[in-house]
Amino acid sequence: MTEPDDAAQAALPPAPGVDRHASLDFADTAATLPAGQSYDLLATPDSAMRWLAVHGLTAPDVRLYDICARRMRTLRGHVRALFTARVDGTAPPEASLRAVNEALTAVPTAPLLTWDRAEGLRRVQAHPTDQAVNHALATLAADAADLLTGPDADLLATCGSAPCDRFLLRTHGRRHWCSTRCGDRARAARAYARRSAPE
């Protein structure tokens, strides 16, 4: 998979539901699209940093390294596996449950106790640069857990236009596609199949 160019990104709008769940957009940072196209918005540290900054999950001046982008791609794979299991009605992979739970518990949830000469003892919510990815992944893991266990869980679906494998929330009863583009392709394929069917 490659990082998409600007034209490819512009042609593919966000899937329904990403405004409610950042984890849905996170899962869709990699996808296979019709006509053999694919993309990965977390392919490089720079692209991963841009994605985090756009979603308000870290400051734009935080520098990510390749290991950080790899950790993000790994968690994304586990989130996608959990979403797929939910959509398919199958048991989720143990490794994916474990990975999301590890992300959830990797950062302190309460302000830490710190001391310095000027202010003495105080409580602070620490977000050091080297822990920025931990905080972002914990936020995304929590959102994924909320989506999978909350009222939107039954709306979670995969795009109905193969081979597109993006996730979406079925915000309308008849919505089966992640974008108008995929919907048009699916309708065109059905029409072609009807015309080509032997009488």
Side-chain angles (χ1 to χ4, degrees):
M1 287 191 193
T2 58
E3 190 176 346
D5 60 25
D6 291 338
Q9 261 186 301
L12 197 63
V18 300
D19 57 328
R20 289 161 38 182
H21 295 283
S23 61
L24 192 61
D25 204 29
F26 179 59
D28 286 345
T29 57
T32 302
L33 304 171
Q37 298 173 323
S38 63
Y39 66 83
D40 186 345
L41 298 178
L42 309 179
T44 67
D46 286 343
S47 63
M49 183 61 242
R50 280 193 302 275
W51 190 88
L52 287 173
V54 163
H55 289 80
L57 293 169
T58 192
D61 59 344
V62 172
R63 181 174 175 192
L64 292 189
Y65 298 95
D66 191 52
I67 191 167
C68 301
R70 276 198 311 266
R71 288 180 58 214
M72 290 176 67
R73 292 190 301 266
T74 298
L75 183 64
R76 176 187 62 200
H78 288 299
V79 168
R80 287 184 64 84
L82 293 174
F83 285 1
T84 298
R86 179 64 173 95
V87 169
D88 293 345
T90 59
E94 282 294 324
S96 296
L97 287 171
R98 190 169 41 257
V100 167
N101 284 330
E102 286 171 3
L104 284 168
T105 58
V107 295
T109 57
L112 302 177
L113 185 63
T114 188
W115 180 87
D116 63 51
R117 288 182 191 261
E119 298 185 42
L121 284 171
R122 61 193 173 101
R123 302 279 304 265
V124 296
Q125 190 71 44
H127 291 267
T129 299
D130 61 349
Q131 297 296 312
V133 172
N134 284 350
H135 288 279
L137 295 181
T139 300
L140 291 165
D143 186 75
D146 288 344
L147 170 53
L148 290 165
T149 60
D152 287 339
D154 290 335
L155 303 176
L156 185 63
T158 52
C159 184
S161 180
C164 182
D165 59 358
R166 292 190 352 155
F167 291 94
L168 65 134
L169 291 186
R170 294 177 83 180
T171 52
H172 296 77
R174 297 175 62 189
R175 181 88 191 224
H176 298 280
W177 305 288
C178 70
S179 66
T180 303
R181 183 174 113 179
C182 280
D184 290 346
R185 288 183 62 83
R187 284 188 285 274
R190 279 200 312 267
Y192 177 78
R194 282 194 302 270
R195 286 192 308 271
S196 302
E199 305 240 352

